[in-house]
């Protein structure tokens, strides 16, 4: 029974691991921390797995646990400055027929997003993942209207960071 | 916002670029220990409860009372001792209940609230114990001076010499202040570091929801 549970968990996590990687990318600034957070999210997911009933998708459920871990539960081991760029990030921005100007803009946007605080990052993350405001609000535990207002403010903040 | 849409496109395009973690690695991970903030709070809290329960047992005055042999006093102190045990049990129950309520599946704001609530409960417990110890010190002091036949010489001195009285009260006051000061510092350092990020994020979420 517990072996089945373990197997089912590991298989589903392996398929959905990019969700966690994306959150790690946003909340950590070096590869070690990325791995560290990935591990903590995995442990938290596993701990919560017996309560996962499959009435929602594994991925939807994983979003919530992973974000909660990154924002609330995870303790950074090392003190690090969150604006430091690490090389691992560069390879996200390569494309075969790339447009130099566009690439520059995307790079700047990534940099701007890293300057946001933990909660703002969570909103941006779900926005980038195409989640609707209902789900964003539900995940964070705030009202839908306030999530919308906050997202608009974040857009303003990002604009300001891009054009100081 | 044009740039954000650009980022979104890039974000969704680049999902396969992560170094994939294998099943074996995931198996290994789920058998490792969590280092989450909740676990740290739990460990520290259990230590606190043990420490303070231990203290309140050491401070038990049974032998002392036998020596003094005053029935009214014995009864009062026994009453306080049992009351103290009852309070400890209630606190431990509340603490446990709060702790199991913490769930990573909850909405972020609720999760933070539950963690802070659990923390606060243990803190109340510590302050309660600290209060009881200060209370115990003062009680013990009064008993020592007024009921203990062994201190009759000191009692006479205190009663007749205001200087000695001032010194004894001064010592008690200093002990109390130092005890409080140490605790205050300890909590500032320990939980200040542990909960700083959580507090900041909780405040941010509350601000959004005003």
């Amino acid at each position: 029974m517990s072996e089945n549970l373990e197997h089912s968990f590991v298989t589903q996590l392996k398929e959905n691991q990019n969700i966690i990687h994306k959150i790690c990318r946003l909340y950590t600034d070096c590869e070690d921390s990325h791995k560290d957070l990935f591990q903590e999210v995995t442990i938290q997911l596993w701990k919560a797995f017996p309560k996962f009933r499959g009435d929602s998708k594994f991925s939807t459920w994983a979003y919530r646990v992973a974000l909660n871990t990154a924002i609330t539960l995870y303790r950074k081991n090392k003190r690090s400055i969150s604006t430091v760029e690490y090389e691992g990030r560069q390879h996200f921005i390569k494309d075969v027929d790339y447009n130099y100007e566009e690439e520059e803009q995307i790079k700047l946007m990534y940099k701007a997003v890293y300057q946001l605080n933990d909660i703002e990052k969570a909103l941006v993350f779900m926005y980038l993942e195409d989640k609707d405001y209902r789900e964003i609000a539900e995940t964070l535990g705030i009202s839908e209207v306030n999530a919308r207002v906050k997202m608009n403010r974040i857009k303003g903040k990002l604009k300001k960071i891009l054009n100081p | 916002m044009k740039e954000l849409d650009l980022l979104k496109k890039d974000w969704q395009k680049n999902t396969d670029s992560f170094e994939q973690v294998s099943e074996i690695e995931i198996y290994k991970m789920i058998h490792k220990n969590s280092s989450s903030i909740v676990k740290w709070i739990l460990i520290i809290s259990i230590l606190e409860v043990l420490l303070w329960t231990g203290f309140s047992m050491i401070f038990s005055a049974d032998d002392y009372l036998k020596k003094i042999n005053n029935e009214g006093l014995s009864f009062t102190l026994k009453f306080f001792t049992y009351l103290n045990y009852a309070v400890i049990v209630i606190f431990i129950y509340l603490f446990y209940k709060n702790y199991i309520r913490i769930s990573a599946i909850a909405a972020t704001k609720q999760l933070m609230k539950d963690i802070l609530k659990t923390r606060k409960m243990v803190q109340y417990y510590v302050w309660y114990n600290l209060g009881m110890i200060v209370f115990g010190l003062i009680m013990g002091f009064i008993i020592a001076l007024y009921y203990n036949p062994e201190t009759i010489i000191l009692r006479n001195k205190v009663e007749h010499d205001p200087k000695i009285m001032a010194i004894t009260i001064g010592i008690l006051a200093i002990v109390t202040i130092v005890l409080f000061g140490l605790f205050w510092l300890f909590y500032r350092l320990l939980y200040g570091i542990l909960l700083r990020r959580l507090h900041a994020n909780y405040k941010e979420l509350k601000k959004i929801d005003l």
Side-chain angles (χ1 to χ4, degrees), chain A residues 132-154:
Chain A
D132 57 23
Y133 281 106
R134 191 188 52 79
E135 198 175 333
I136 296 177
E138 228 174 74
T139 304
L140 290 176
I142 57 178
S143 80
E144 211 176 309
V145 179
N146 286 332
R148 214 179 277 272
V149 172
K150 184 66 187 169
M151 194 59 216
N152 280 330
R153 289 210 184 120
I154 294 171

Side-chain angles (χ1 to χ4, degrees), chain A residues 14 17-18 39-40 64 68 70 72-74 91-92 95 110 118 128-130 139-140 143 146 150, chain B residues 8 10-15 17 20-21 23 32 34-35 37 104-106 108-109 197 201 204 209:
Chain A
K14 191 177 167 272
Q17 63 174 284
N18 280 334
Q39 180 175 314
E40 188 58 45
R64 188 175 268 224
N68 271 337
T72 308
L73 300 169
Y74 175 60
H91 69 258
F92 297 121
D95 201 350
Y110 270 114
D118 289 347
L128 292 178
E129 288 289 302
D130 236 355
T139 304
L140 290 176
S143 80
N146 286 332
K150 184 66 187 169
Chain B
K8 194 174 190 171
D10 184 72
W11 180 269
Q12 290 176 348
K13 202 166 50 190
N14 283 307
T15 44
S17 54
Q20 296 294 291
V21 176
E23 287 195 12
K32 276 187 182 151
S34 154
S35 63
I37 187 168
I105 314 166
T108 307
K109 199 175 161 192
R197 195 160 149 249
N201 284 333
E204 171 74 19
D209 233 9

Side-chain angles (χ1 to χ4, degrees), chain A residues 3 10 12 14 19 36 39-40 43 52 54 62-63 65 67 74 77 80 84 93 98 108 118-119 130 132 145 155 162:
Chain A
E3 255 171 53
V10 172
Q12 290 189 75
K14 191 177 167 272
I19 297 168
D36 220 32
Q39 180 175 314
E40 188 58 45
I43 294 170
F52 171 63
Y63 271 111
V65 177
L67 264 181
Y74 175 60
N77 288 328
S80 44
V84 174
I93 317 165
Y98 76 68
L108 285 174
D118 289 347
I119 305 294
D130 236 355
D132 57 23
V145 179
K155 284 179 191 170
L162 289 177

Side-chain angles (χ1 to χ4, degrees), chain B residues 3 28 36 44 56 64 85 111 124 189-190 193 202 205:
Chain B
E3 293 94 336
K28 274 187 203 155
S36 79
I44 296 169
S56 55
Y64 197 56
Y85 286 142
L111 172 66
Y124 286 148
L189 287 176
L190 187 62
I193 295 164
Y202 185 61
L205 268 180

Side-chain angles (χ1 to χ4, degrees), chain A residues 36 39-41 43-44 47 68-70 72-77, chain B residues 33-44 99 102 104 111 115 194:
Chain A
D36 220 32
Q39 180 175 314
E40 188 58 45
V41 171
I43 294 170
Q44 292 299 332
K47 267 167 64 183
N68 271 337
T69 308
T72 308
L73 300 169
Y74 175 60
R75 290 247 322 127
K76 279 182 194 160
N77 288 328
Chain B
N33 276 328
S34 154
S35 63
S36 79
I37 187 168
V38 176
K39 199 181 168 191
W40 279 107
I41 289 178
L42 178 70
I43 291 170
I44 296 169
Y99 179 72
I102 293 175
L111 172 66
I115 295 174
L194 203 60

